Amino acid sequence: IFFNFSEGPYWETVWKKNLTMGKYYSLGPKNVKRISNSLRFGLSLAIVILIMLNRTEFRSHTDMTSKTTNCLSGAIATSGSVYGKTERPLVFFMETSAFQATFMSVPGDSEMWWSMSSRYPWNGVAETLIFVGELFQRAKAKGIRFPDSSPALIDVGANMGQEVVVAGMLGFQSTTFEILPQSVGTVKLNLKANCVSEDMVTIVNAGVGKSTGSMGIGLTGFSAAKNAAKSPGDFKAQVWSISDYFLKTGPGYVNTSPLLLKLDCETCESGALAGSYEFLRKFPPSYIMVEVVSNNGLLLEQISVLQNELGFSHAFILGCNDRIIHHDTVAAAEKNILAFKNRPFVSSVTILENFCDIVLIHNSAVDLFPN
């Protein structure tokens, strides 16, 4: 499907995709005909051109429902201008047994994603997102509910909004913290693209740390690896501790323990956990998923507190080195990923040699993954 993100006289960006294979494609203006402004959003014409370009590829689009098509095209129509006239934005299509979703990249990130195309096989799904999808799918099947808009997911570090989109698609509300304004806009775009109402997600344009305050941050650079503490700038960002936001001076609302607390905020994880102890004692989530960056001994200390003092006694490693599961092996990989009870917790030495996500399970958690 082709979309034009500019006010210019031609389609600047072409996307064609195989929805079930998790592939993305992006083609520049030289690949398409010039077209008048009056056809700036000519979806029917785009499909015709797509068929002419690659009839075989088009056949894999047949499972894309009219509702999904309308949501994706509507998102581009209302918000696509954020990419300007020259950027070739990327779109990621991911499918597991629990969900099928589309994610568009944060404005300004496209060239960096392209430069990493040899490192990452972008024809699959992140191992961590497979876990998140299955977690909420099983909670839905079990009839778990969160009354009065209490969030089932608290997400620290939204970026493109992958986790909140998947949770929303499965009927669960979220609160997400994202410090970069351009990422906040991308979360809203991706919610629209996946037919998820913004009412399902409370988006907080703020960072998370040990204490509440503010910090200056630069807005340029690759959003998916933005270390706010090392990127000072003129944009003054709010910072909340989780305990303050939900229990004290903040506007956050919660009346029951969430299903998942996810922390992936490029080295803010340690401070975020330290500022959440009061909240975790009162409303312990069933699961915590936290990214551990290589040689972050302080974060390992926080994880030790979670295990020894706060009731998260079982933990396992997931998704080391941003592991992507190839589309051909997702079904087989899901069985291994979800059989975590059979895995011992790997030593701190191993963790320090990689960057991984660690999932910690509270002792009172509902057992959604029986052996």
Side-chain angles (χ1 to χ4, degrees), residues 5 76 78-85 87 105-108 182 185-186 189:
F5 292 98
I76 297 300
T78 58
S79 305
S81 61
V82 298
Y83 294 104
K85 297 184 178 182
E87 183 172 357
S105 60
V106 176
Q182 63 266 38
T186 307
L189 175 61

Side-chain angles (χ1 to χ4, degrees), residues 156-157 176-180 184 203-208 213 235 237-240 245:
V156 178
T176 186
F177 296 86
E178 174 51 57
I179 198 169
L180 298 175
V184 169
I203 304 174
V204 186
N205 186 192
V208 175
F235 178 73
Q238 171 75 50
V239 177
W240 287 101
Y245 183 82

Side-chain angles (χ1 to χ4, degrees), residues 5 30 40 42 49 68 75 88 104 107 113 139 175 195 203 207 224 274 289 302 317 330 336 341 345 352 363 370-371:
F5 292 98
K30 64 182 181 181
R40 183 167 174 261
I49 296 173
T68 302
R88 293 189 302 162
M104 285 172 270
W113 283 124
T175 296
C195 309
I203 304 174
M289 185 169 71
Q302 307 292 349
I317 289 180
V330 166
N336 294 327
K341 289 184 177 179
F345 182 60
L352 289 174
N363 297 339
N371 288 325

Side-chain angles (χ1 to χ4, degrees), residues 185-224:
T186 307
V187 174
K188 294 179 179 180
L189 175 61
N190 285 329
L191 287 169
K192 293 176 184 176
N194 289 283
C195 309
V196 178
S197 169
E198 284 190 32
D199 293 341
M200 297 295 292
V201 184
T202 299
I203 304 174
V204 186
N205 186 192
V208 175
K210 184 176 182 179
S211 58
T212 297
S214 63
M215 66 180 298
I217 182 174
L219 299 183
T220 59
F222 186 40
S223 70

Side-chain angles (χ1 to χ4, degrees), residues 16-215:
K16 61 176 181 174
K17 52 92 176 176
N18 180 333
L19 187 62
T20 62
M21 295 303 183
K23 297 179 181 178
Y24 71 83
Y25 303 83
S26 184
L27 306 176
K30 64 182 181 181
N31 300 96
V32 295
K33 298 178 180 179
R34 291 180 175 269
I35 191 167
S36 67
N37 281 331
S38 63
L39 292 177
R40 183 167 174 261
F41 193 71
L43 185 58
S44 297
L45 177 62
I47 292 176
V48 171
I49 296 173
L50 178 58
I51 295 173
M52 290 189 296
L53 281 176
N54 192 326
R55 293 178 181 273
T56 302
E57 198 70 46
F58 180 75
R59 282 199 290 269
S60 67
H61 291 243
T62 55
D63 60 353
M64 189 173 185
T65 66
S66 58
K67 179 181 178 182
T68 302
T69 303
N70 291 338
C71 290
L72 180 58
S73 59
I76 297 300
T78 58
S79 305
S81 61
V82 298
Y83 294 104
K85 297 184 178 182
T86 60
E87 183 172 357
R88 293 189 302 162
L90 272 68
V91 59
F92 303 90
F93 300 91
M94 300 183 183
E95 183 180 33
T96 73
S97 61
F99 70 87
Q100 188 180 80
T102 304
F103 301 106
M104 285 172 270
S105 60
V106 176
D109 282 359
S110 300
E111 289 306 313
M112 180 60 76
W113 283 124
W114 280 108
S115 71
M116 295 191 298
S117 60
S118 61
R119 175 184 172 189
Y120 291 102
W122 297 123
N123 53 352
V125 185
E127 189 170 331
T128 50
L129 201 57
I130 291 175
F131 170 77
V132 171
E134 190 67 24
L135 177 67
F136 284 100
Q137 174 67 17
R138 294 188 180 204
K140 178 180 179 180
K142 203 173 183 68
I144 294 176
R145 296 289 181 267
F146 292 81
D148 302 326
S149 301
S150 191
L153 167 64
I154 296 174
D155 176 33
V156 178
N159 195 246
M160 293 184 288
Q162 300 96 305
E163 288 79 14
V164 298
V165 165
V166 170
M169 292 175 75
L170 293 167
F172 293 93
Q173 294 189 308
S174 306
T175 296
T176 186
F177 296 86
E178 174 51 57
I179 198 169
L180 298 175
Q182 63 266 38
S183 292
V184 169
T186 307
V187 174
K188 294 179 179 180
L189 175 61
N190 285 329
L191 287 169
K192 293 176 184 176
N194 289 283
C195 309
V196 178
S197 169
E198 284 190 32
D199 293 341
M200 297 295 292
V201 184
T202 299
I203 304 174
V204 186
N205 186 192
V208 175
K210 184 176 182 179
S211 58
T212 297
S214 63
M215 66 180 298

